[in-house]
Amino acid sequence: MSDSLAVDRQGPVGLVRMNRPERHNAFDDAIIAELTETLRTMEADDGVRVVVLSGAGKSFSAGADLNWMKRMAGFSAEENKRDAMGLATLMRTLAHLRKPTVARVHGAAYGGGVGLVACCDVAIATCNATFALTEAKLGLIPAAISPYVVSAIGERAARRYFITAERFDAAEAFRLGLVHELAQDEAALDEKLGAVVEAMLACSPAAQLAAKDLIRAVSNRPVTSELIQDTAERIAKIRSSPEGREGVAAFLEKRRAAWVPPPPSE
Ligand code: COA
């Protein structure tokens, strides 16, 4: 692995840090491939229960490396399509990861950086973080990230920010729902991150996976009899599953469920 990613483990938490601070963690095709591979490895590792994505240095991520964009402009249409699939694959891998994901956002999150934030289940940012979908200003469009960004901020806000490329602040990102929580500074950010991770670890991994799948199944769908039937089948299945039984039994028996890590004192 190159130095552009720093990967670590803290018990059941997989830490993925983009590590190209001199370029505000802008990513090119090689970093995209590495990041995708790292996420897949963590997804396959039973020891990893939660994945935290962050950036080293001043920023979360300045998005696509513009030198890479410039380089690709000289390639054929076919090569461009193949190359662009790399970013689309990264976004889908992150958005559909079979484990809970958290974005730790500070400094700038621009272009593809906003995409990464939108793909995570939970996003927490410092109050002075800034966001922008700058593509139109560069003569481009935020294509690969659009399904996730539009789903996070809604069509109305996307209409504005995709075509003005205006920078917006953390308060606006919070108002739009792109980030769930704001923190005064990076120390407070880590504290809030710790609390979210702890909450995630207290939940059943199988239920979290089923919940992510459920959200995708019901989002933007009309409530038809098929959909109602589908939701009934999902709860029927999970309440008789091992983790469904264990979670309910643990509550009634006033004990910790099997998947909850013991408190540090034990
Ligand atoms: N691709 C390639 N290089 C980038 C980059 C990107 N997306 N974002 C920043 N860099 C480079 C800068 O060119 C600069 O390189 P240099 O030191 O060789 O001049 C270096 O990173 C530091 O950036 P700088 O602009 O001097 O830092 P800043 O603190 O003033 O601003 C940003 C930081 C992120 C706000 C600013 O660099 C920026 O707007 N970047 C473009 C982000 C963008 O539009 N991304 C979407 C791409 S589709």
Side-chain angles (χ1 to χ4, degrees):
M1 188 184 295
S2 75
D3 293 339
S4 301
L5 276 189
V7 180
D8 202 0
R9 274 279 292 278
Q10 255 171 27
V13 184
L15 303 170
V16 184
R17 199 174 68 220
M18 294 173 280
N19 189 34
R20 213 184 166 208
E22 72 287 356
R23 287 278 178 275
H24 294 268
N25 301 316
F27 44 75
D28 62 9
D29 48 348
I31 300 172
I32 287 170
E34 247 183 78
L35 189 47
T36 307
E37 195 46 46
T38 299
L39 291 170
R40 286 185 176 147
T41 303
M42 289 198 168
E43 184 169 53
D45 183 342
D46 287 340
V48 175
R49 294 241 356 244
V50 172
V51 175
V52 175
L53 181 64
S54 65
K58 285 191 196 158
S59 293
F60 176 72
S61 170
D65 186 318
L66 294 168
N67 295 301
W68 164 51
M69 290 278 131
K70 186 178 163 198
R71 179 160 45 89
M72 285 317 297
F75 282 63
S76 72
E78 217 26 68
E79 285 163 328
N80 260 287
K81 252 194 263 171
R82 207 172 324 115
D83 176 80
M85 278 305 290
L87 182 58
T89 302
L90 167 62
M91 294 296 152
R92 193 181 189 284
T93 303
L94 179 57
H96 289 201
L97 208 80
R98 296 166 64 84
K99 317 248 162 115
T101 52
V102 191
R104 179 198 184 278
V105 189
H106 75 298
Y110 281 22
V114 175
L116 292 174
V117 175
C119 286
C120 286
D121 297 317
V122 177
I124 311 175
T126 53
C127 291
N128 58 7
T130 56
F131 302 80
L133 293 149
T134 55
E135 286 84 348
K137 212 151 89 181
L138 299 161
L140 309 172
I141 51 170
I145 65 173
S146 62
Y148 314 101
V149 176
V150 174
S151 155
I153 71 176
E155 188 182 332
R156 193 75 190 127
R159 292 270 289 267
R160 173 172 179 177
Y161 291 114
F162 279 21
I163 65 166
T164 64
E166 290 165 289
R167 206 169 75 150
F168 53 94
D169 63 14
E172 174 72 346
F174 177 71
R175 191 186 70 77
L176 295 174
L178 178 62
V179 300
H180 295 95
E181 240 186 293
L182 296 181
Q184 207 51 48
D185 51 32
E186 285 197 55
L189 181 63
D190 286 329
E191 220 169 279
K192 284 177 189 276
L193 184 80
V196 168
V197 167
E198 196 183 319
M200 286 172 163
L201 293 174
C203 292
S204 142
Q208 287 168 323
L209 175 58
K212 287 176 74 157
D213 199 46
L214 170 68
I215 293 162
R216 280 196 295 274
V218 302
S219 289
N220 303 316
R221 300 264 163 88
V223 186
T224 58
S225 51
E226 286 79 18
L227 188 89
I228 291 169
Q229 182 70 31
D230 178 54
T231 58
E233 279 167 20
R234 284 169 192 265
I235 182 62
K237 187 172 166 207
I238 205 149
R239 70 185 165 204
S240 54
S241 71
E243 288 191 15
R245 289 172 200 261
E246 165 64 7
V248 173
F251 175 82
L252 295 173
E253 292 161 22
K254 302 187 192 306
R255 62 172 173 81
R256 215 170 42 229
W259 54 78
V260 184
S265 52
E266 277 181 29

